[in-house]
Amino acid sequence: MAATPPHPSSGPESGIAVRHLLLPPEDPQVRTRSERLRALGIEARPDTELDAFARELAQRTGGCYAGVNFFLDADRQYFAGLYSAAQDTPVHGGPPLLQDPVPGRVMPRDIDMGICPHVVKRRRALVLEDIRDFPRFAGNHVVDAIGIHSYLGAPLIDSTGVVLGTICVVDQDPQPWGRKGLETIKAMAAELVEQLEESARRRG
C-alpha cells in the first residue's frame, strides 16, 4: 500500500506558514516614528511622570499592570512609564513592595512578546477581556510567562498622524472592560499625546 502523503497543514512548514499569517505587515512608519520620538524628547529611559500616568491608568481601569510604551525602532518597544499594583501592596503591615514583578522595560518588538505591536499596526484601541478566548493572542509569551489574561490598549497617535506607541493595562484575571474601558483608555491616550506635544513646544 502506498504511503499516505503528509497533510499540507502538518509538519514544521505549517507552523511557519501560520506564524507568517499572524505577523503584521512591514511597518512603514519606523523611520518617521524614530524621528518624531526624538523631536518630542522621548528616549529609552524611565520617566517618573509617565510612571505616574501609568499608575493613574491602572487605577482608573482596575488593571494590575499598566504602561506607556514607545516603539523606538523596528526591533524594540520601551516602557518609559510602568506601574505594578505590587508597588502599592503592603507586606505584613510594612511599606509597599519595592520590587516590581513586571519584566524589564525593554521588550523585543515581536508579536509573540506582547500585544501592543498589534495595536500599533491596527491604529485602533483593543480590548481582550479574556485573552484565552482569542486564538490569535492566546499563545502570546506574556499569557503564560507573566500570567496575563486580559489586555486593554490604545495607540498614541500624534498630531502628524504618527503612531508613537501605546498605553496599555493588563490583568492576571479576566476583566469586563467593555466599551467603558475602551472609552477610558482612548481618552487617556489622547490626553497623553497632548501633554507630550505641549511639553516639546515649551522646550522650543
Side-chain angles (χ1 to χ4, degrees):
M1 179 180 293
T4 302
H7 191 277
S9 63
S10 64
E13 294 81 2
S14 66
I16 295 172
V18 169
R19 178 174 171 79
H20 176 73
L21 289 174
L22 297 182
L23 283 171
E26 192 71 23
D27 182 357
Q29 287 195 327
V30 170
R31 176 177 294 182
T32 304
R33 179 182 301 112
S34 296
E35 294 173 353
R36 184 63 175 144
L37 288 171
R38 285 196 296 271
L40 292 171
I42 297 170
E43 300 176 6
R45 64 171 184 264
D47 186 310
T48 55
E49 292 185 4
L50 294 180
D51 284 345
F53 182 93
R55 178 176 182 167
E56 180 184 357
L57 175 59
Q59 291 174 340
R60 289 180 59 178
T61 58
C64 63
Y65 305 141
V68 179
N69 184 14
F70 296 112
F71 281 51
L72 300 176
D73 50 42
D75 302 313
R76 296 177 299 159
Q77 45 184 323
Y78 184 79
F79 288 86
L82 194 60
Y83 170 79
S84 165
Q87 295 168 331
D88 295 332
T89 303
V91 180
H92 302 301
L97 291 171
L98 298 179
Q99 184 174 0
D100 189 346
V102 177
R105 290 177 183 257
V106 179
M107 290 178 63
R109 187 184 166 179
D110 186 297
I111 61 166
D112 290 331
M113 289 294 293
I115 300 170
C116 287
H118 293 274
V119 173
V120 168
K121 187 59 195 176
R122 286 162 46 99
R123 300 176 63 93
R124 294 173 55 195
L126 175 66
V127 58
L128 303 172
E129 296 183 345
D130 190 333
I131 295 174
R132 295 165 297 183
D133 291 339
F134 299 86
R136 181 168 188 172
F137 303 106
N140 199 283
H141 173 76
V142 297
V143 176
D144 293 325
I146 314 175
I148 298 305
H149 288 149
S150 54
Y151 173 92
L152 178 64
L156 295 169
I157 304 177
D158 75 357
S159 59
T160 70
V162 173
V163 184
L164 306 173
T166 68
I167 60 173
C168 64
V169 57
V170 298
D171 202 88
Q172 293 174 321
D173 297 310
Q175 290 290 339
W177 278 313
R179 182 174 296 276
K180 182 178 179 181
L182 280 173
E183 291 174 352
T184 296
I185 203 164
K186 288 193 292 186
M188 292 190 70
E191 173 188 326
L192 180 57
V193 168
E194 185 175 342
Q195 292 175 5
L196 294 172
E197 293 187 328
E198 177 59 29
S199 179
R201 284 192 291 268
R202 287 198 303 268
R203 290 194 303 270

